[in-house]
Amino acid sequence: MDQRIINFLQNNEILSFAMQDRNEVYIANAFYIFDILHFSFIIASDKNTKHVKLSIINPCIAVNVYQGKKIALLKGVQIKAKFMDATKEQEKLYYHKFPFVKFQKDIKIYALCILWAKFTDNTLMLNQKIEFQRN
């Protein structure tokens, strides 16, 4: 993964992710930490939420992380990812940054494994786009 994408994802902490089943689509937001070793987002959510239930039915999800309020300064990453349970190692990473989550009822830690990403940085010359494809 290009270092510019990694830097961008490490310097943000809120993502939006969209999921669907056969009949509906849904979107949610989450605080995340970026797991650089596995190119994954780690999030926490109540296991009974609609977005978790839909993501379990169909783990192919879309993710968006962006920043900027002016088009010339806009930076963002559009992502295709796979929704899955976090590993014990990923859970530890999440609890290290957000320790209070450990004590919330029905909260579970999940990983959004990046399969493909496109980084847009309008501050780069010629509105350059950088892509990542997991092998």
Side-chain angles (χ1 to χ4, degrees), residues 3 5-13 32 34 36 97:
Q3 190 62 45
I5 299 174
I6 292 169
N7 292 345
F8 178 80
L9 295 176
Q10 287 180 320
N11 288 311
N12 285 283
E13 61 184 18
Y32 74 86
F34 182 62
I36 191 169
K97 183 165 183 178

Side-chain angles (χ1 to χ4, degrees), residues 15-20 24-30 49-52 54-55 61-64 66:
L15 59 77
S16 297
F17 66 113
M19 63 294 303
Q20 70 176 34
E24 64 182 321
V25 294
Y26 197 71
I27 193 163
N29 298 312
T49 60
K50 185 174 189 170
H51 58 271
V52 168
L54 289 175
S55 296
I61 60 168
V63 179
N64 184 51
Y66 79 95

Side-chain angles (χ1 to χ4, degrees), residues 7 19 23 29 33 35 51 73 80 82 99 103 112 126 135:
N7 292 345
M19 63 294 303
N23 302 315
N29 298 312
I33 62 168
D35 176 1
H51 58 271
L73 303 176
K80 295 177 188 175
K82 182 177 181 185
F103 306 105
L112 313 179
L126 303 175
N135 295 332

Side-chain angles (χ1 to χ4, degrees), residues 7-129:
N7 292 345
F8 178 80
L9 295 176
Q10 287 180 320
N11 288 311
N12 285 283
E13 61 184 18
I14 299 175
L15 59 77
S16 297
F17 66 113
M19 63 294 303
Q20 70 176 34
D21 68 5
R22 281 180 247 137
N23 302 315
E24 64 182 321
V25 294
Y26 197 71
I27 193 163
N29 298 312
F31 283 95
Y32 74 86
I33 62 168
F34 182 62
D35 176 1
I36 191 169
L37 294 177
H38 301 102
F39 297 145
S40 298
F41 298 102
I42 306 167
I43 66 166
S45 188
D46 185 314
K47 61 186 176 185
N48 299 307
T49 60
K50 185 174 189 170
H51 58 271
V52 168
K53 289 178 181 179
L54 289 175
S55 296
I56 289 170
I57 292 168
N58 182 357
C60 297
I61 60 168
V63 179
N64 184 51
V65 180
Y66 79 95
Q67 63 182 197
K69 293 182 180 178
K70 295 183 179 182
I71 231 168
L73 303 176
L74 184 69
K75 294 181 182 183
V77 184
Q78 297 166 306
I79 295 163
K80 295 177 188 175
K82 182 177 181 185
F83 184 89
M84 59 183 64
D85 290 338
T87 65
K88 293 293 181 196
E89 179 183 303
Q90 289 172 325
E91 287 179 5
K92 287 179 187 176
L93 290 171
Y94 195 87
Y95 292 141
H96 184 270
K97 183 165 183 178
F98 302 110
F100 58 90
V101 173
K102 219 179 218 182
F103 306 105
Q104 294 181 345
K105 185 181 177 202
D106 293 327
I107 295 293
K108 189 169 176 182
I109 308 301
Y110 299 96
L112 313 179
C113 178
I114 299 171
L115 305 174
W116 172 87
K118 181 176 73 174
F119 178 55
T120 300
D121 183 347
N122 286 354
T123 66
L124 297 174
M125 290 195 340
L126 303 175
N127 190 18
Q128 184 178 2
K129 303 204 186 305

